């Protein structure tokens, strides 16, 4: 039930101004004496050429009172609406309880396809915390759009192609051992890769050798490809562990290598469209008219680039999925890269370049000294997640040592805390890791929302007699109950808003608000010990909150344990 919209429609019928325009002007007064909604008539004065108080009075006379409104008062230029609280709480709670985990879902995206390019780590390199954000935000946007009926295609555009793999082959042949790589995986690949870099500084011939190997890869040379495939498998095995822990999956693992044999026709198309220019032996697309440095397409040595593969991938995706939108989740520092190649697509004459959207985010910073780092300064995702689980376990041991299945709960809460923390602010803000803050069960955190959900579950467990039949909603006449219902009612609109702005934090914060208002409700109102009709009505609130918190957490990619 969208009350603002319904009010706007009622007002619109009474004054013949478009409902959308009216809806945008309807306010929620901060002073409850002024009603639950207020419509100021000032803006209508221009259109209707009358004084605002007169307009208010006239509309007031013609207005047909919607059924969820108990009273309408005209105060000067304002039309104030007072909700019929009983009608309202009943409507909201019934909506939630009948739709259950589908509450908030819609089909506004039906028939539309959104491609989401997220996570996309580079193989043979550690999956570090920098990729956490892309993974977590991308997954949330995937779940949110899916709930709105969009057809979602989640793509892991792995960084699995490029000269660096030529270097790795050389490094392996010079200093590698199959056993060590099988045993230590990416860490060992990284170690020999770093060795290569140090050695190449002294001996540049190594770089030529590496380039040669990459050319062999491009040409499909058997030995080169089989080594590359092996590095790929080793890496994917480790990534899979991380995705498993995070509960994230993809519809396609079409990384950069997938486009190896698809770039030539695209380069040819660029040439035919007169967009390729030679510059110092390289092939570029000039972007000076868009005030950007040129987009490098082919290197002097004939090698293709990151941008070449992105352009090819975009054309492939358009052809394969006919997307309405294709979004890319990477850190802010890739802004220029995306702006450049989006402009190349524009210059190629493809109107849909407008539907390519870079969705950037800020950096991850670490509260110094609090996180274990293995090599150098990278923090591995896996280590971070394990640490989150271990820290959570400590808290559980302290708070609730008798909890059954502590290990699973610690996983859900620890990882949930990491995800929630990442999604708590607008994307562009940097994320700081602080265990103390992230795991604070009383803070604005994942564990707090999960704990509130578990509290609701535990109340319901003690009331097996609860049923939705014959609830007397007039028993929910206190402010706290009403506040909870208002927030539950706003939940579907928050999901839509998060999708429209590509900002999961709008949903994250709303869940915190629901949890807070529920805890106030719980504090103010005895539930299980109340008289039977009051108890039933309050249990309906508990049930609805439980349902919405679990649904909301799921949209963020977070589990909601029943006990913690
Ligand atoms: N592999 C890249 C990185 O780690 C991210 C790829 C993002 N997606 C894309 N289509 N460029 O920085």
């Amino acid at each position: 039930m969208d009350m603002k919209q319904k009010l706007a429609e009622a007002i619109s019928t009474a004054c013949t101004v478009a409902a959308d325009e009216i809806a945008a002007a309807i306010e929620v007064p901060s002073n409850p004496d002024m009603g639950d909604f207020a419509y100021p008539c000032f803006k209508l004065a221009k259109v209707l050429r009358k004084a605002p108080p007169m307009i208010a009075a006239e509309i007031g006379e013609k207005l047909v009172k919607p059924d969820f409104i108990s009273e309408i008062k005209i105060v000067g230029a304002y039309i104030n609406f007072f909700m019929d609280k009983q009608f309202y709480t009943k409507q909201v709670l019934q909506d939630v309880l009948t739709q259950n985990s589908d509450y908030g879902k819609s089909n506004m995206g039906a028939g539309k396809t959104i491609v989401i390019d997220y996570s996309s780590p580079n193989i043979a390199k550690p999956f570090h915390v920098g990729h956490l954000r892309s993974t977590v935000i991308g997954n949330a946007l995937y779940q949110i759009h899916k709930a709105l009926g969009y057809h979602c295609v989640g793509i892991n555009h792995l960084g699995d192609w490029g000269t660096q793999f030529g270097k790795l082959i050389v490094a392996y042949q010079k200093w590698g051992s199959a056993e060590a790589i099988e045993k230590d995986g990416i860490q060992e690949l990284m170690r020999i890769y770093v060795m290569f870099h140090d050695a190449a500084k002294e001996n540049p011939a190594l770089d030529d050798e590496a380039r040669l190997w990459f050319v062999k890869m491009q040409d499909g040379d058997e030995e080169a490809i089989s080594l590359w495939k092996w590095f790929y498998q080793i890496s994917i095995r480790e990534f899979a562990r991380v995705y498993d822990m995070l509960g994230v999956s993809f519809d396609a693992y079409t990384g950069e290598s997938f486009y190896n044999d698809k770039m030539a026709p695209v380069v040819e198309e660029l040439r035919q469209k007169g967009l390729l220019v030679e510059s110092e032996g390289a092939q570029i697309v000039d972007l000076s008219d868009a005030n950007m440095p040129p987009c490098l397409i082919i290197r002097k040595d004939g090698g293709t680039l990151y941008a070449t593969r992105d352009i090819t991938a975009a054309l492939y995706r358009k052809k394969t999925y006919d997307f309405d939108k294709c979004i890319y989740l990477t850190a802010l520092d890739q802004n220029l890269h995306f702006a450049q190649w989006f402009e190349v697509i524009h210059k190629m004459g493809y109107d849909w370049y407008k539907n390519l959207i870079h969705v950037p985010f800020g950096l991850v910073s670490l509260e110094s000294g609090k996180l274990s780092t293995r090599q150098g300064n990278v923090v591995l995702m896996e280590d971070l997640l394990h640490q989150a689980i271990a820290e959570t376990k400590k808290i559980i041991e302290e708070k609730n040592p008798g909890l059954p299945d502590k290990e699973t709960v610690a996983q859900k809460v620890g990882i949930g805390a990491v995800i929630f923390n990442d999604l708590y602010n607008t994307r562009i803000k940097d994320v700081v890791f602080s265990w103390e803050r992230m795991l604070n069960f009383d803070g604005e955190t994942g564990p707090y929302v999960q704990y509130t959900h578990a509290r609701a579950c535990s109340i319901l467990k003690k009331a097996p007699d609860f049923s939705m039949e014959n609830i007397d909603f007039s028993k929910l006449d206190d402010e706290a109950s009403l506040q909870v219902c208002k927030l539950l009612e706003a939940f579907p609109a928050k999901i839509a808003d998060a999708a429209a702005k590509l900002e999961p934090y709008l949903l994250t914060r709303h869940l915190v608000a629901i949890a807070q208002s529920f805890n106030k409700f719980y504090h103010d109102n005895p539930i299980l010990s109340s008289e039977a009709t009051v108890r039933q009505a309050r249990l309906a609130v508990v049930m609805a909150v439980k349902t919405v918190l679990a649904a909301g957490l799921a949209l963020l990619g977070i589990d909601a344990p029943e006990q913690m």
Side-chain angles (χ1 to χ4, degrees):
M1 184 175 58
D2 188 345
M3 289 186 299
K4 262 194 191 177
Q5 191 58 33
K6 284 200 172 158
L7 275 183
E9 280 160 20
I11 299 171
S12 164
T13 331
C15 71
T16 70
V17 173
D20 284 350
E21 219 170 287
I22 292 172
I26 294 180
E27 300 168 354
V28 176
S30 46
N31 175 1
D33 292 344
M34 307 301 285
D36 298 293
F37 295 100
Y39 178 64
C41 296
F42 302 107
K43 273 200 185 148
L44 295 184
K46 258 197 204 145
V47 199
L48 303 175
R49 294 171 183 283
K50 275 181 210 159
M54 209 152 119
I55 298 173
E58 279 180 21
I59 293 179
E61 250 165 58
K62 285 192 216 152
L63 201 57
V64 181
K65 186 172 71 64
D67 45 13
F68 58 94
I69 294 297
S70 65
E71 200 188 347
I72 300 174
K73 277 191 196 160
I74 311 294
V75 180
Y78 284 85
I79 310 178
N80 295 337
F81 298 91
F82 294 80
M83 268 180 345
D84 179 337
K85 297 200 167 99
Q86 187 181 334
F87 181 91
Y88 176 69
T89 49
K90 177 177 173 184
Q91 193 65 47
V92 174
L93 295 175
Q94 278 185 342
D95 276 358
V96 177
L97 297 181
T98 51
Q99 292 169 44
N100 221 312
S101 58
D102 283 340
Y103 181 69
K105 294 190 179 164
S106 82
N107 57 6
M108 61 178 274
K112 293 201 186 107
T113 295
I114 177 166
V115 171
I116 307 178
D117 177 317
Y118 64 116
S119 195
S120 310
N122 302 318
I123 68 162
K125 292 234 177 100
F127 196 135
H128 60 86
V129 291
H131 286 113
L132 170 72
R133 301 217 61 196
S134 178
T135 310
V136 162
I137 302 171
N139 184 50
L141 290 175
Y142 186 103
Q143 303 306 332
I144 288 170
H145 280 85
K146 200 168 110 191
L148 296 173
Y150 287 86
H151 171 229
C152 299
V153 184
I155 297 183
N156 195 336
H157 188 78
L158 291 167
D160 60 2
W161 205 247
T163 10
Q164 67 270 35
F165 300 102
K167 295 180 185 175
L168 199 56
I169 291 176
V170 174
Y172 170 66
Q173 289 174 336
K174 296 228 180 318
W175 311 289
S177 99
E179 299 86 74
I181 291 175
E182 283 297 337
K183 185 168 148 284
D184 292 333
I186 292 177
Q187 222 192 330
E188 174 65 11
L189 292 177
M190 201 49 204
R191 193 186 66 83
I192 60 172
Y193 186 73
V194 170
M195 275 178 87
F196 176 96
H197 261 260
D198 294 342
K201 266 186 228 143
E202 311 283 303
N203 177 11
L206 284 173
D207 276 321
D208 296 328
E209 216 178 308
R211 259 192 290 274
L212 229 78
W213 274 106
F214 181 56
V215 172
K216 283 191 187 182
M217 277 170 59
Q218 284 184 315
D219 296 344
D221 173 86
E222 217 171 292
E223 187 185 2
I225 289 293
S226 88
L227 280 170
W228 167 80
K229 271 200 180 138
W230 179 46
F231 302 148
Y232 182 96
Q233 240 95 50
I234 296 273
S235 309
I236 288 289
R237 215 190 289 159
E238 282 184 46
F239 296 167
R241 282 205 306 266
V242 175
Y243 292 136
D244 223 42
M245 287 175 91
L246 287 170
V248 169
S249 60
F250 301 88
D251 299 304
Y253 272 85
T254 39
E256 296 187 40
S257 66
F258 180 75
Y259 301 99
N260 182 40
D261 62 353
K262 299 176 180 61
M263 283 182 280
V266 176
V267 173
E268 189 45 37
E269 184 180 337
L270 284 168
R271 196 184 315 278
Q272 274 178 11
K273 289 185 170 164
L275 294 170
L276 279 191
V277 188
E278 187 168 324
S279 165
E280 295 167 30
Q283 302 288 321
I284 63 164
V285 175
D286 179 65
L287 300 175
S288 52
D289 56 352
N291 278 321
M292 283 187 278
C295 185
L296 195 49
I297 302 290
I298 308 260
R299 240 199 282 268
K300 200 163 83 186
D301 63 19
T304 55
L305 292 105
Y306 183 41
T308 324
R309 289 185 278 282
D310 259 331
I311 293 166
T312 307
L315 292 164
Y316 174 85
R317 290 173 189 177
K318 185 67 192 168
K319 197 172 77 202
T320 310
Y321 307 112
D322 191 23
F323 56 75
D324 293 274
K325 247 194 243 176
C326 178
I327 68 175
Y328 298 83
L329 288 121
T330 81
L332 201 59
D333 59 2
Q334 296 197 29
N335 274 359
L336 179 63
H337 163 73
F338 284 99
Q340 284 178 303
W341 76 257
F342 288 176
E343 183 56 21
V344 173
I345 301 275
H346 182 195
K347 283 190 186 299
M348 290 172 93
Y350 295 115
D351 199 31
W352 49 265
Y353 83 95
K354 295 189 208 98
N355 306 326
L356 300 169
I357 304 166
H358 180 221
V359 184
F361 48 78
L363 302 173
V364 181
S365 59
L366 310 164
E367 240 186 9
S368 54
K370 293 254 169 94
L371 281 158
S372 54
T373 55
R374 276 195 206 168
Q375 251 177 15
N377 250 342
V378 296
V379 175
L380 302 187
M381 278 274 268
E382 214 176 349
D383 290 356
L384 181 108
L385 296 177
H386 280 301
Q387 204 174 341
I389 296 167
E391 298 286 335
T392 308
K393 230 170 132 198
K394 276 190 226 158
I395 300 176
I396 295 177
E397 290 298 356
E398 220 174 85
K399 290 197 175 218
N400 191 1
L403 181 75
D405 208 3
K406 278 185 268 196
E407 196 59 47
T408 316
V409 176
Q411 283 232 2
K412 291 181 174 176
V413 176
I415 288 172
V418 171
I419 298 176
F420 200 93
N421 180 61
D422 197 298
L423 298 175
Y424 190 64
N425 287 306
T426 122
R427 293 184 323 259
I428 222 67
K429 246 186 110 170
D430 291 350
V431 165
V432 183
F433 272 97
S434 149
W435 293 124
E436 212 180 305
R437 201 169 36 75
M438 286 160 59
L439 294 174
N440 181 354
F441 279 42
D442 299 315
E444 304 192 345
T445 62
Y448 172 71
V449 175
Q450 286 173 318
Y451 189 71
T452 306
H453 168 267
R455 167 176 280 168
C457 290
S458 108
I459 299 170
L460 292 164
K461 243 179 241 147
K462 292 182 196 134
D465 55 312
F466 171 69
S467 110
M468 265 308 279
E469 304 296 310
N470 305 322
I471 291 177
D472 179 357
F473 291 93
S474 70
K475 303 291 180 201
L476 299 173
D477 57 356
D478 62 295
E479 250 327 292
S481 305
L482 186 66
Q483 188 53 28
V484 172
C485 289
K486 281 189 179 171
L487 291 168
L488 295 179
E489 196 233 355
F491 178 71
K494 288 288 168 186
I495 300 174
D497 203 21
K501 301 196 170 92
L502 302 170
E503 283 284 16
Y505 90 96
L506 293 166
L507 185 58
T508 315
R509 300 231 168 178
H510 194 64
L511 295 185
V512 171
I514 294 176
Q516 286 169 341
S517 80
F518 175 73
N519 286 319
K520 176 164 179 6
F521 162 85
Y522 175 77
H523 179 267
D524 290 358
N525 299 309
I527 300 171
L528 295 170
S529 60
S530 297
E531 172 273 318
T533 53
V534 176
R535 176 186 146 108
Q536 279 304 91
R538 289 185 181 159
L539 283 171
V541 175
V542 179
M543 183 69 125
V545 166
K546 174 200 122 128
T547 305
V548 172
L549 288 184
L553 286 171
L555 292 177
L556 299 177
I558 300 175
D559 279 324
E562 302 233 320
Q563 241 185 316
M564 61 186 270

